[in-house]
Amino acid sequence: MSKTILITGGAGFVGSCLGIRLKSLYPPYKIIALDNLKRRGSELNLKRLRESGVEFFHGDIRSPEDFNVLPKIDVIIEASAEASVLAGIDAAPDYVVNTNLGGTINCLNFALKNKSDLIFLSTSRVYPIEKIEEIEFEETETRFNISSTQKIKGVSDQGINENFSLEGYRSIYGATKLCSELLIQEYRQFYGLKTIINRCGVLTGAWQMGKADQGIVVLWAARHFWNQNLSYFGYGGRGKQVRDILHINDLYRLIDYQIHKIDSLNGQIFNVGGGLGTSVSLCELTKYCQEITGEKVPIEAVPENRPADIRIYVSDNSKITKATGWRPEIGVREILEDIYIWIKDHQSSLQYVLK
Ligand SMILES: NC(=O)c1ccc[n+]([C@@H]2O[C@H](COP(=O)([O-])OP(=O)(O)OC[C@H]3O[C@@H](n4cnc5c(N)ncnc54)[C@H](O)[C@@H]3O)[C@@H](O)[C@H]2O)c1
């Protein structure tokens, strides 16, 4: 049966990649991307969307009226956001709150009216900073690793699972996402919406408009490509902090499954990330970038932490793997090669965003 799918933030990195792939694998589906093009570089995705048959609506999720022009929708993928963890910390919080929380409420109300299912792109940043910093770790030559014995619940050497504490501050960005999660659960319980929440770790791949506060893997690759300076911020300035990274095509396989199996996953919250297998520290990332680009760039050590920094985050995918069989397949080197080839092939159009 054909479906009409709305992707909010549909011109962004995640939204555009999901939309284009959905349209290519399910040609009869109507895929609509709604975006206000706030993110620098999202405008570069408009041509890709058009060429692949995804319909673009220039709209703002903060405005309920912008939903009025849309047709009946079967599934909403809420992938719009001010996605920077520093948003609202170094400037006024209005935009991040109104988009990430107010906008999600508008999506929920629109979903109610249409009886649409809702898949929400949440974040690992819902977990509080101070608790994450309590995780026991070991230090190696190139990285911090999560220790196998831990005093707090919801963490093991496989990463952080959904039982991790939610007590504490987490950044304005993380808080807006957690507030949205809470409302999504209420709309499911009391209004009967079908919903899935994915708490994603670092997502990356070609077409991510990487910058220092969001899209660090692409930023790292781009700085090597154009031979520009980088810095290791925080934790002594040695680049040992660790994240798991998930390629957008791996995320796509999961979202495709969730769209088509929402009845069996309704109401669930999942941690979703690359997991231990694709975890990488900054200095390990540097080594991959050096090997792939052939460039070695100056990297300044800045020992002091910045607000909202965390030492280590690795998603424990056990719950989502048990529920769906899904697991990431694309490794760190493959991810970086994908990004490198994309930058090389599109360098003239990308340099005003990435350089
Ligand atoms: N990329 C990651 O590492 C990551 C990790 C965890 C969660 N997420 C979540 O995944 C989703 C997609 O992130 P992304 O990486 O594609 O970010 P992105 O910035 O590339 O895309 C977000 C899109 O939303 C649009 N947007 C912003 N404000 C809007 C508004 N008021 N109305 C309409 N559109 C608006 C932007 O223009 C942009 O195109 C976000 O919800 C983000 O919080 C991303």
Side-chain angles (χ1 to χ4, degrees):
M1 213 176 68
S2 186
K3 286 185 186 296
T4 302
I5 299 178
L6 169 67
I7 308 180
T8 53
F13 163 56
V14 171
S16 63
C17 293
L18 295 183
I20 289 166
R21 213 165 171 88
L22 271 168
K23 186 66 189 169
S24 79
L25 292 177
Y26 303 95
Y29 284 19
K30 190 180 178 71
I31 311 291
I32 297 173
L34 181 128
D35 201 297
N36 70 352
L37 302 181
K38 168 82 169 19
R39 175 76 181 255
R40 205 161 115 90
S42 288
E43 64 282 359
L44 295 177
N45 288 319
L46 296 182
K47 183 163 169 276
R48 296 169 64 223
L49 292 171
R50 198 169 47 246
E51 285 171 358
S52 51
V54 175
E55 290 177 38
F56 175 69
F57 279 72
H58 188 245
D60 195 310
I61 66 159
R62 293 172 298 170
S63 311
E65 351 25 290
D66 285 9
F67 291 81
N68 292 342
V69 293
L70 300 173
K72 167 132 181 44
I73 301 290
D74 301 304
V75 183
I76 302 174
I77 301 172
E78 220 293 62
S80 68
E82 168 45 75
S84 163
V85 75
L86 295 178
I89 293 180
D90 51 4
D94 307 47
Y95 189 83
V96 59
V97 172
N98 294 337
T99 291
N100 296 10
L101 177 55
T104 305
I105 295 170
N106 290 333
C107 286
L108 282 166
N109 290 333
F110 181 70
L112 265 191
K113 218 161 72 186
N114 277 265
K115 299 199 178 345
S116 338
D117 302 337
L118 183 108
I119 298 175
F120 184 60
L121 272 287
S122 189
T123 170
S124 56
R125 285 295 190 156
V126 299
Y127 296 116
I129 292 170
E130 278 185 336
K131 273 281 170 234
I132 292 176
E133 295 297 76
E134 278 177 35
I135 292 172
E136 303 276 340
F137 66 93
E138 279 141 29
E139 189 171 341
T140 73
E141 270 300 295
T142 62
R143 59 153 65 197
F144 300 121
N145 278 325
I146 301 179
S147 306
S148 50
T149 50
Q150 294 290 332
K151 293 194 192 83
I152 51 176
K153 76 169 181 154
V155 58
S156 72
D157 53 5
Q158 294 307 300
I160 288 154
N161 67 44
E162 297 79 359
N163 298 320
F164 199 79
S165 170
L166 289 171
E167 289 292 319
Y169 64 87
R170 52 190 46 77
S171 75
I172 305 280
Y173 166 68
T176 57
K177 288 289 192 175
L178 182 61
C179 291
S180 291
E181 286 192 8
L182 294 176
L183 281 166
I184 289 167
Q185 292 171 78
E186 301 301 319
Y187 273 62
R188 185 193 69 80
Q189 180 65 32
F190 295 108
Y191 303 140
L193 281 190
K194 289 183 200 160
T195 65
I196 299 172
I197 293 169
N198 296 307
R199 290 180 178 158
C200 302
V202 173
L203 306 170
T204 194
W207 297 102
Q208 183 173 43
M209 303 301 162
K211 52 192 179 104
D213 56 345
Q214 212 261 347
I216 186 79
V217 179
V218 167
L219 175 96
W220 224 255
R223 290 284 168 87
H224 278 83
F225 183 82
W226 279 296
N227 206 331
Q228 291 172 310
N229 295 7
L230 280 166
S231 303
Y232 292 136
F233 284 105
Y235 302 98
R238 288 161 301 152
K240 292 191 180 185
Q241 52 271 61
V242 166
R243 300 288 185 274
D244 59 332
I245 63 176
L246 182 68
H247 191 270
I248 186 67
N249 291 351
D250 272 335
L251 179 72
Y252 173 80
R253 285 187 298 104
L254 178 64
I255 301 289
D256 183 336
Y257 183 97
Q258 293 180 336
I259 290 170
H260 298 100
K261 294 272 197 296
I262 196 155
D263 284 324
S264 63
L265 302 171
N266 184 17
Q268 302 226 49
I269 298 178
F270 299 108
N271 285 359
V272 169
L276 196 56
T278 56
S279 66
V280 65
S281 71
L282 279 178
C283 67
E284 290 165 353
L285 199 58
T286 300
K287 189 145 187 297
Y288 281 111
C289 288
Q290 287 172 348
E291 285 166 11
I292 290 167
T293 65
E295 299 286 348
K296 201 166 181 182
V297 306
I299 306 186
E300 185 195 0
V302 183
E304 299 78 28
N305 286 14
R306 294 166 307 171
D309 274 352
I310 51 175
R311 181 186 302 278
I312 191 159
Y313 188 90
V314 174
S315 313
D316 182 341
N317 288 319
S318 306
K319 182 178 175 190
I320 189 71
T321 300
K322 188 155 178 254
T324 65
W326 174 87
R327 59 180 81 240
E329 289 173 355
I330 306 174
V332 178
R333 174 173 287 280
E334 222 181 313
I335 292 174
L336 282 159
E337 279 166 353
D338 173 51
I339 293 168
Y340 172 68
I341 290 166
W342 164 65
I343 297 175
K344 192 150 89 60
D345 290 351
H346 298 82
Q347 47 184 301
S348 57
S349 59
L350 287 176
Q351 57 182 331
Y352 87 95
V353 188
L354 293 184
K355 198 170 169 185

